[in-house]
Amino acid sequence: MNSDLDLFLWLIYPYICLTIFVFGHIWRYRYDKFGWTSRSSQMYERDILRWANPMFHFGILAVFLGHVMGLGVPQTWTAAVGISEGMYHFLAITIGVVAGICTIVGFVGLVYRRRFTKAVLGATSRMDKLMYLVLGLVIVLGLVNTGSQLVGDYNYRGGVSIWFRSIFYFSPKPDLMVAAPLSFQIHAILAIGLFALWPFTRLVHVFTAPLGYIFRPYILYRTRDAHEGSRSRRRGWDKVDTIPRRR
Amino acid sequence: MQVMAQMAMVMNLDKCIGCHTCSVTCKQVWTNRSGAEHIWFNNVETRPGQGYPRTYEDQERWKGGWALNRRGRLKLKAGGRLKNLSTIFAAPYLPGIKDYYEPWTYDYENLTTAPAQKHMPVARPKSLLTGENTKITWSANWDDDLAGSVENGHNDPVLAKVSDKIKFEYEQTFMFYLPRICEHCLNPACVASCPTGAIYKREEDGIVLVDQDRCRGWRQCVTGCPYKKMYFNHKTGKVEKCTFCYPRIEVGQPTICSETCVGRLRYLGLMLYDADRVLEAASTPDEHGLYEAQRDVFLDPNDLEVIREARAAGIPEDWIEAARRSPIRALISDYQVALPLHPEYRTMPMVWYIPPLSPVVDAVSETGEDGERHENLFAAIDRLRIPIEYLAGLFTAGDTKPVDGVLRKLAAMRSYMRDINMGWEPNEAIPESVGMTDQQMKDMYRLLAIAKYNERYVIPPAHYEDAHKLENIATECSLDVDGGPGMGGSGDTGGMGGIGGMDGSFAENPARGGGSPVPSRPEGVRINLLNWNGQGTPEGLFPDTTDASTTNLSKPAHPDHPGTGDQP
């Protein structure tokens, strides 16, 4: 390795993108809570959305879990609990292909309605379009990679996965990516690029998935004092709360 | 007992002429924005009719509100928490924009830029969603005054419950108008449906609001609200709703719809209720019992125990006093002439209605009989079963008894007061026939017929000691503590009586006064004689007449911008 490009792509670029990802979200949450929404277009069009949207979302949730398994869990761990390499790959490929196809079909449906329903197209921003392009490419390449496991013999759990984890240990191993097949490389580059775009797109809605709903009481009350916008007060502008409240 | 205060409204439908002034002023104030074209916090429907959005009352289709499950427990009609979350990607019962209407504008530019031609240029309607030419086929009041009811009348979900035979007869009998805002329910299904928890009921006055910073546009509340008063803003991707004009209510002013109501048919006031009993009341097994059950949840602010509990719950004295003087309380609990809209949705709505008697009067008058005589009116109420059943379908889950009772009271009042106004011998038998005393009858007449501004709107301002905090205005004085020298605040606005701010602004602002200009004190200047050394004049004691700009500086002393980030 060690051409400058390799060093940039597999070491510097991921850190830049992940930094943008983290600080971008913090920035967006602090300054654009009002813009933090899924921006549903169901009101405009529902017939395609009704099947395509759940298909895409449940598909991509499965894909996400697959990545947690494939990238996050070391091979030695799965081996330790008695999952053989062949078994793992069989599961990964079957589940991965089914989830990937669901995601892609759903994605195509969604993009179709976005392009050909006038009202939905009108509500599509330039950032949306860029995001759909990158997201689409990432998903297609991901499915290609999953499929390639049927013919190729590249063990990503011995390469890409270790590189991915090494980023978070802050002892990156860029050599592992240089050795990976091209389709894996492109998938990784685009996916990391998507993380940099993430905070500036509607994808932010992922991070406010309303899981707390299951545990909260149905009816919520708030006092008037508590809702000075939900913005927290700026530093240095704290109130002097000396008067005991009558209520 | 958990005493809570609720700001509530009653509308007297007899007085509604369907002029839509409330809708228009409300829209100008709150939803005159792109993306909010279809959002009518206040709309006026002609009944019978489909309502807005179309057929919203058909809960078998839209699944709004609550229902009892097999074990008799209350659950959201659209499904519980898990079902709610699992349908988040494609809400199955969400109205589309076509169920409201496609917003449009007109190509006005063409009127001035069209080349010379044989025919007058026209401004064609253009869709605001696609920008293309469009055909206007529906709007928020397209079926006004029964327009198109031959085609659409059968779509009225309330009418559908009244049998076919009487339908035709009914349509010839009468129509009336139903102005609707958010019900600010005691058991709001929208709040319960919101996955994020962005919708909340204010502890102090029960107003239901959407935190615009926390709403993520999951739109389950739109399904949850059986009145379809949660509106998805298609530009911002957030849900908006009637705010009960909380910035006005907080300073003791009526909502815009009430303020501008031409017929003066709206009443505003407080109700005290027992929050601990809401769930039980909403779970009443028999739908016909829901109206009674909700009335039982309300508390009597003259009851000593209630007062004690209210104080314990931190409700200020002036609010308890306002609850005593509340016209809402009089209409709902004392005279029992106001009824809730669709109690069968089990949300415990807090905007109530006095059902209209005038169609009955008209029906009697058309026969040539005396439409003001109580015997004739009583007979007509007995005979006109269809309108009564329809009204019952709206206000009492189909139980005609309460509607009957209300209309009889209104008829009795009409007849009794006519005798008095004509200088005839008052007939004491008339109030007795509906179980009222003559004094009660006269009081009710006063409230319904001639009540003045501050009788119709009894709105205690948000505690003045807190009012400036609401808008984050830095007007706090550090000496303004109990017993401190600045104690008591400036007292320049928001006193008792609810219209202090209104009166003050009127007197202070020469532009509105009409007559001779009244010089006014610059805002924010306080007279503090403690700081005065006896030389000259203390600052702010006399209005500065030399500098014209100070007069212009004066403005209504209440904070007149929402500014709390709850609604854009």
Side-chain angles (χ1 to χ4, degrees):
Chain A
M1 72 153 247
N2 282 339
S3 77
D4 290 347
L5 182 66
D6 285 338
L7 205 62
F8 174 77
L9 281 181
W10 310 119
L11 200 155
I12 301 171
Y13 172 71
Y15 279 114
I16 292 176
C17 289
L18 290 177
T19 307
I20 295 175
F21 180 78
V22 171
F23 287 98
H25 276 104
I26 295 171
W27 168 81
R28 178 95 187 258
Y29 194 77
R30 283 197 59 159
Y31 293 101
D32 186 30
K33 271 188 197 142
F34 183 63
W36 196 292
T37 150
S38 52
R39 292 215 51 204
S40 163
S41 55
Q42 185 176 350
M43 269 192 101
Y44 299 138
E45 195 280 342
R46 62 179 303 158
D47 293 338
I48 300 176
L49 178 121
R50 195 165 57 194
W51 59 265
N53 207 34
M55 207 166 168
F56 169 76
H57 277 91
F58 287 119
I60 203 132
L61 281 174
V63 167
F64 169 72
L65 290 179
H67 278 71
V68 171
M69 278 300 291
L71 293 178
V73 179
Q75 197 166 353
T76 49
W77 294 15
T78 50
V81 294
I83 300 172
S84 72
E85 184 62 19
M87 180 71 171
Y88 178 89
H89 269 274
F90 174 73
L91 285 176
I93 290 171
T94 46
I95 298 175
V97 166
V98 171
I101 287 176
C102 276
T103 310
I104 286 187
V105 173
F107 185 80
V108 169
L110 289 177
V111 170
Y112 176 85
R113 73 184 273 283
R114 199 155 273 283
R115 177 61 191 83
F116 294 104
T117 310
K118 271 269 161 87
V120 186
L121 181 64
T124 308
S125 69
R126 225 179 294 162
M127 201 60 183
D128 286 339
K129 289 173 189 165
L130 176 64
M131 184 269 287
Y132 285 124
L133 178 71
V134 178
L135 182 63
L137 285 174
V138 170
I139 295 171
V140 169
L141 280 165
L143 189 62
V144 167
N145 288 341
T146 308
S148 75
Q149 298 286 300
L150 285 171
V151 287
D153 57 355
Y154 175 69
N155 179 12
Y156 61 84
R157 293 212 294 166
V160 179
S161 300
I162 297 174
W163 164 78
F164 179 78
R165 288 195 297 272
S166 73
I167 292 175
F168 297 95
Y169 303 149
F170 296 104
S171 60
K173 301 188 173 74
D175 320 18
L176 290 167
M177 273 320 280
V178 179
L182 184 65
S183 66
F184 278 87
Q185 289 180 336
I186 302 176
H187 177 71
I189 290 173
L190 286 174
I192 288 171
L194 185 64
F195 282 112
L197 285 178
W198 201 296
F200 313 104
T201 64
R202 62 171 65 192
L203 292 181
V204 291
H205 73 270
V206 173
F207 293 100
T208 44
L211 299 175
Y213 181 55
I214 297 168
F215 308 105
R216 76 163 170 84
Y218 267 139
I219 308 296
L220 300 177
Y221 296 91
R222 277 203 224 171
T223 66
R224 212 163 18 202
D225 282 348
H227 82 274
E228 302 157 331
S230 50
R231 265 172 282 260
S232 50
R233 264 178 237 144
R234 297 276 167 78
R235 233 161 53 86
W237 290 94
D238 305 299
K239 274 189 191 166
V240 185
D241 284 325
T242 50
I243 308 172
R245 296 276 154 76
R246 286 241 315 262
R247 46 178 21 244
Chain B
M1 191 193 297
Q2 167 72 39
V3 184
M4 293 187 86
Q6 168 81 38
M7 189 51 72
M9 186 185 283
V10 167
M11 299 191 216
N12 184 356
L13 295 185
D14 250 340
K15 294 186 180 181
C16 186
I17 57 170
C19 67
H20 297 273
T21 304
C22 46
S23 306
V24 171
T25 50
C26 173
K27 192 149 189 61
Q28 291 297 333
V29 168
W30 289 106
T31 57
N32 191 11
R33 292 172 272 130
S34 171
E37 298 91 350
H38 65 294
I39 303 182
W40 294 85
F41 290 170
N42 183 109
N43 74 301
V44 183
E45 299 166 0
T46 302
R47 305 316 297 252
Q50 299 185 72
Y52 180 76
R54 265 174 276 189
T55 72
Y56 70 93
E57 285 153 310
D58 183 359
Q59 302 310 340
E60 293 319 304
R61 181 174 172 205
W62 301 113
K63 308 280 181 195
W66 303 84
L68 294 180
N69 67 11
R70 264 166 295 152
R71 284 171 295 144
R73 291 187 54 188
L74 208 57
K75 73 175 215 343
L76 286 171
K77 202 173 169 79
R81 289 182 169 87
L82 288 174
K83 168 99 185 288
N84 202 338
L85 278 190
S86 67
T87 57
I88 210 164
F89 301 127
Y93 311 116
L94 188 80
I97 193 79
K98 293 273 155 66
D99 293 306
Y100 299 89
Y101 60 91
E102 192 170 350
W104 75 88
T105 184
Y106 294 93
D107 181 15
Y108 295 109
E109 198 186 2
N110 188 45
L111 299 180
T112 51
T113 57
Q117 53 191 348
K118 197 168 137 204
H119 300 290
M120 282 285 282
V122 292
R124 295 188 64 174
K126 300 270 182 190
S127 164
L128 282 172
L129 298 184
T130 63
E132 292 176 339
N133 288 332
T134 187
K135 207 173 157 222
I136 304 164
T137 55
W138 202 258
S139 81
N141 63 341
W142 206 245
D143 52 357
D144 222 12
D145 293 341
L146 299 183
S149 62
V150 178
E151 266 179 56
N152 301 316
H154 61 279
N155 290 328
D156 179 343
V158 180
L159 199 56
K161 290 183 180 164
V162 182
S163 81
D164 280 344
K165 186 177 61 136
I166 40 196
K167 196 187 290 178
F168 180 64
E169 190 190 336
Y170 175 43
E171 279 172 6
Q172 298 201 324
T173 313
F174 76 89
M175 79 180 187
F176 62 96
Y177 303 100
L178 182 73
R180 293 200 307 124
I181 63 171
C182 164
E183 295 282 344
H184 297 274
C185 307
L186 300 184
N187 185 34
C190 57
V191 177
S193 307
C194 176
T196 325
I199 313 173
Y200 60 96
K201 199 166 170 62
R202 296 213 302 194
E203 264 175 42
E204 291 86 353
D205 50 17
I207 295 176
V208 177
L209 294 172
V210 183
D211 185 336
Q212 292 285 300
D213 274 354
R214 286 194 62 189
C215 174
R216 305 285 172 239
W218 304 123
R219 68 217 176 280
Q220 306 295 66
C221 58
V222 182
T223 303
C225 175
Y227 302 95
K228 291 292 171 277
K229 279 290 170 187
M230 308 297 297
Y231 293 95
F232 189 78
N233 180 320
H234 60 92
K235 281 271 164 37
T236 64
K238 306 238 163 178
V239 168
E240 297 180 26
K241 69 177 291 295
C242 160
T243 62
F244 217 80
C245 288
Y246 72 89
R248 289 176 61 89
I249 292 287
E250 282 172 3
V251 293
Q253 296 179 355
T255 63
I256 276 291
C257 51
S258 309
E259 174 81 56
T260 58
C261 177
V262 178
R264 303 182 176 184
L265 58 93
R266 299 191 187 219
Y267 296 80
L268 288 166
L270 281 182
M271 287 300 272
L272 297 185
Y273 69 100
D274 184 356
D276 287 342
R277 277 165 44 211
V278 169
L279 187 63
E280 182 198 334
S283 315
T284 305
D286 179 14
E287 282 190 347
H288 289 182
L290 281 162
Y291 158 58
E292 280 284 332
Q294 184 169 2
R295 234 176 40 202
D296 288 344
V297 169
F298 300 136
L299 298 171
D300 179 359
N302 295 308
D303 183 328
L304 286 179
E305 202 202 328
V306 170
I307 296 175
R308 198 166 49 238
E309 291 287 336
R311 283 178 187 147
I315 296 174
E317 284 307 314
D318 58 331
W319 280 49
I320 299 174
E321 172 59 26
R324 267 181 227 127
R325 296 191 296 121
S326 166
I328 309 299
R329 185 181 153 65
L331 294 169
I332 290 179
S333 301
D334 297 345
Y335 308 130
Q336 304 191 354
V337 288
L339 301 171
L341 181 63
H342 290 301
E344 71 271 25
Y345 299 160
R346 298 179 183 277
T347 60
M348 306 269 116
M350 284 308 289
V351 173
W352 288 36
Y353 294 89
I354 301 172
L357 177 72
S358 28
V360 180
V361 178
D362 290 347
V364 175
S365 304
E366 272 165 26
T367 62
E369 297 289 326
D370 180 358
E372 307 281 331
R373 259 175 72 98
H374 64 288
E375 291 97 337
N376 289 347
L377 288 172
F378 285 177
I381 292 169
D382 285 338
R383 198 166 43 78
L384 296 170
R385 295 322 295 169
I386 307 98
I388 310 287
E389 275 175 38
Y390 187 84
L391 290 173
L394 279 179
F395 300 120
T396 53
D399 184 8
T400 51
K401 257 194 280 50
V403 177
D404 240 64
V406 173
L407 293 186
R408 274 165 190 278
K409 276 180 194 164
L410 296 177
M413 183 185 79
R414 210 180 172 98
S415 182
Y416 181 68
M417 290 311 298
R418 177 178 64 162
D419 289 349
I420 292 175
N421 289 335
M422 299 299 284
W424 301 339
E425 190 63 30
N427 181 357
E428 304 299 337
I430 299 178
E432 271 167 37
S433 68
V434 291
M436 293 174 82
T437 66
D438 59 333
Q439 189 55 46
Q440 275 180 319
M441 193 104 299
K442 284 175 188 157
D443 291 346
M444 183 166 88
Y445 168 75
R446 173 164 180 90
L447 186 56
L448 290 182
I450 46 183
K452 300 299 179 198
Y453 195 86
N454 57 359
E455 292 171 77
R456 279 177 284 131
Y457 311 131
V458 180
I459 308 163
H463 339 217
Y464 182 65
E465 67 275 16
D466 276 355
H468 54 293
K469 291 188 191 116
L470 303 178
E471 307 294 341
N472 279 344
I473 296 169
T475 55
E476 249 172 0
C477 168
S478 54
L479 301 176
D480 203 4
V481 292
D482 277 348
M487 185 182 147
S490 60
D492 53 350
T493 173
M496 286 291 296
I499 52 168
M502 176 63 63
D503 279 344
S505 68
F506 203 83
E508 272 178 24
N509 193 334
R512 290 180 62 187
S516 59
V518 183
S520 65
R521 209 162 270 138
E523 201 188 10
V525 175
R526 290 189 187 176
I527 313 155
N528 191 343
L529 294 176
L530 289 175
N531 289 348
W532 184 41
N533 60 6
Q535 305 288 310
T537 10
E539 191 193 355
L541 181 59
F542 298 111
D544 188 353
T545 44
T546 51
D547 184 1
S549 66
T550 45
T551 318
N552 295 336
L553 268 179
S554 79
K555 49 185 170 187
H558 57 82
D560 54 357
H561 51 90
T564 53
D566 266 296
Q567 295 276 352

